[in-house]
Amino acid sequence: VLSLESQRLNGNLPKNIGNLTALEIIDLDYNEFVGTLPDTIYALEKLEQLDLNNNYFYGTINANIGDMLSLEFLQLHNNKFSGTFPRTLVFCPLAVAEFKNNDFVGHMPLCVGAPWQTVEAITCDCATGEVTCDIGCQCQCF
């Protein structure tokens, strides 16, 4: 477990975070991290929870997120992430996905209640018209 929430940490997330292969939880919320996510983070196959909310991360989410086959909780809200949602998100066994208050655009590939997915809750900014969901999908829009 790497839990450093509310510690006023800043700077970029180091690339060598991908070397911590046994990590199951990363909780870095309420800090002042900036920059893009290092590609190495997507190699953490045992990671179940990635909580990066309330920082200053920006850039896109890499399609390699679909390789995170243990990821159940993805909390990215209140950052500056942008671009489209990777279609590979459907390969993650997500129960909770929080994307609100970012700059995402495009199509949300996750669906609450879809028989092929495990998602129980999604939050995103689909009310702005920048994000669309599949017909029959349920996003909570804020």
Side-chain angles (χ1 to χ4, degrees):
V1 173
L2 178 62
S3 182
L4 296 170
E5 61 193 76
S6 302
Q7 297 296 312
R8 296 185 184 157
L9 300 173
N10 57 38
N12 293 321
L13 201 56
K15 290 181 181 182
N16 61 359
I17 196 164
N19 295 339
L20 304 173
T21 57
L23 273 180
E24 295 178 358
I25 296 173
I26 295 177
D27 187 351
L28 301 176
D29 63 341
Y30 294 97
N31 280 292
E32 298 175 11
F33 286 106
V34 298
T36 59
L37 295 183
D39 290 340
T40 57
I41 202 166
Y42 303 107
L44 297 174
E45 296 176 357
K46 295 180 181 179
L47 196 67
E48 297 173 4
Q49 179 178 332
L50 181 58
D51 191 347
L52 302 177
N53 65 312
N54 294 292
N55 280 283
Y56 300 101
F57 289 110
Y58 57 83
T60 60
I61 303 300
N62 190 307
N64 290 338
I65 196 167
D67 295 336
M68 300 176 84
L69 301 179
S70 298
L71 191 62
E72 296 177 9
F73 298 93
L74 178 60
Q75 297 176 318
L76 303 179
H77 54 287
N78 299 326
N79 280 286
K80 293 293 179 189
F81 289 111
S82 60
T84 58
F85 298 97
R87 302 273 320 149
T88 55
L89 275 171
V90 300
F91 299 122
C92 300
L94 291 169
V96 174
E98 297 189 5
F99 302 106
K100 66 183 177 184
N101 297 325
N102 282 287
D103 295 318
F104 289 112
V105 296
H107 180 77
M108 167 59 72
L110 301 173
C111 297
V112 173
W116 63 90
Q117 293 180 354
T118 56
V119 181
E120 298 170 8
I122 302 171
T123 60
C124 64
D125 297 317
C126 45
T128 65
E130 300 292 323
V131 175
T132 59
C133 293
D134 281 332
I135 294 173
C137 290
Q138 299 171 6
C139 288
Q140 288 181 288
C141 302
F142 299 97

